[in-house]
Amino acid sequence: MRLLLIEDNARLASLIREGLDRQGFAVDWYETIEGAELALKIAVYDLMLLDLGLPDGDGLNLVRNVRQQKNAVPILVLTARGGLDDRVNGLDAGADDYLVKPFQIPELAARCRALLRRPGASLGVQLAAGNVLFDSTVRSVVIAGRPVEASPREVDLLEALLRRAGMVVAKPTLENALYSMDAEVTPNALEASVSRLRKRLAAAGADVRVRTVHGVGYALFAPTPADG
């Protein structure tokens, strides 16, 4: 899942990015409304985390502009403005949730997952293909009824493929889901992640297959009756 963070406090932004990265999110960070608007033009995000007191204006103006442009990206406001009127104004402007500073990273991550599980959002609670089951609430993988430990990157990749099971997922789409803009990504990073995931699935007895569509991307297929 790729998130856009708009926060002018560099130390807090760093803590948020590090904490959410450990929770399986890729986070792009900008300090201003101008930077956020540019990011929204060049990338697709699953969720926006927005501070309101920004150097070039009030974050609520960005919320209104995003909604006026018919962009339905979920918006979680992160702010020190904790009054009832502030929360009401934020929600009425088009924000989806409101988290008052200071907060703990586990709660922030839980709020993110909750927003992403809403109808029409990016997360479903459980995804399944063949004998593979993924629970987005706790980001756990179960194969053939047994829990399987996997790295955060492998889990991210499996989730992206499960969400489009039976369809080819283009390489840029997978890279967009797995890596933030400033991540140092080698040319074969995605291929290496796919290779590790295949080995993980095979070792656990998964009956799904990750196939390469050369020059395009990858697809995860569940077994069909004919396979048996």
Side-chain angles (χ1 to χ4, degrees), residues 119-173:
S122 299
L123 289 182
V125 174
Q126 290 189 334
L127 302 171
N131 64 357
V132 178
L133 178 65
F134 172 75
D135 188 318
S136 69
T137 305
V138 293
R139 301 194 64 75
S140 64
V141 179
V142 175
I143 298 177
R146 296 183 298 274
V148 173
E149 293 293 331
S151 71
R153 192 70 70 206
E154 291 168 1
V155 172
D156 291 346
L157 177 58
L158 177 62
E159 178 184 1
L161 293 171
L162 281 171
R163 293 194 178 281
R164 302 167 182 82
M167 300 183 291
V168 178
V169 187
K171 286 184 178 181
T173 299

Side-chain angles (χ1 to χ4, degrees), residues 37-206:
E37 291 176 334
L38 175 62
L40 289 167
K41 291 179 181 178
I42 61 178
V44 177
Y45 292 96
D46 299 295
L47 175 66
M48 181 191 302
L49 307 178
L50 175 64
D51 182 31
L52 295 184
L54 298 168
D56 56 346
D58 191 326
L60 287 184
N61 291 330
L62 175 61
V63 175
R64 296 186 184 98
N65 291 339
V66 168
R67 296 306 185 226
Q68 288 172 0
Q69 295 168 13
K70 307 302 182 183
N71 187 335
V73 60
I75 300 175
L76 173 56
V77 170
L78 311 175
T79 181
R81 304 178 192 174
L84 175 60
D85 289 343
D86 294 314
R87 297 196 299 273
V88 170
N89 290 338
L91 295 171
D92 283 347
D96 295 273
D97 198 1
Y98 207 101
L99 186 57
V100 178
K101 301 175 181 177
F103 52 79
Q104 299 295 318
I105 293 298
E107 180 183 5
L108 173 59
R111 294 285 189 103
C112 292
R113 290 191 292 267
L115 286 173
L116 291 168
R117 288 196 300 270
R118 288 184 176 179
S122 299
L123 289 182
V125 174
Q126 290 189 334
L127 302 171
N131 64 357
V132 178
L133 178 65
F134 172 75
D135 188 318
S136 69
T137 305
V138 293
R139 301 194 64 75
S140 64
V141 179
V142 175
I143 298 177
R146 296 183 298 274
V148 173
E149 293 293 331
S151 71
R153 192 70 70 206
E154 291 168 1
V155 172
D156 291 346
L157 177 58
L158 177 62
E159 178 184 1
L161 293 171
L162 281 171
R163 293 194 178 281
R164 302 167 182 82
M167 300 183 291
V168 178
V169 187
K171 286 184 178 181
T173 299
L174 290 172
E175 290 171 342
N176 185 71
L178 299 181
Y179 309 108
S180 59
M181 282 185 182
D182 58 358
E184 296 183 4
V185 183
T186 60
N188 65 340
L190 180 58
E191 287 77 4
S193 294
V194 171
S195 177
R196 288 192 293 270
L197 177 61
R198 282 176 171 148
K199 292 177 181 177
R200 183 81 63 184
L201 293 172

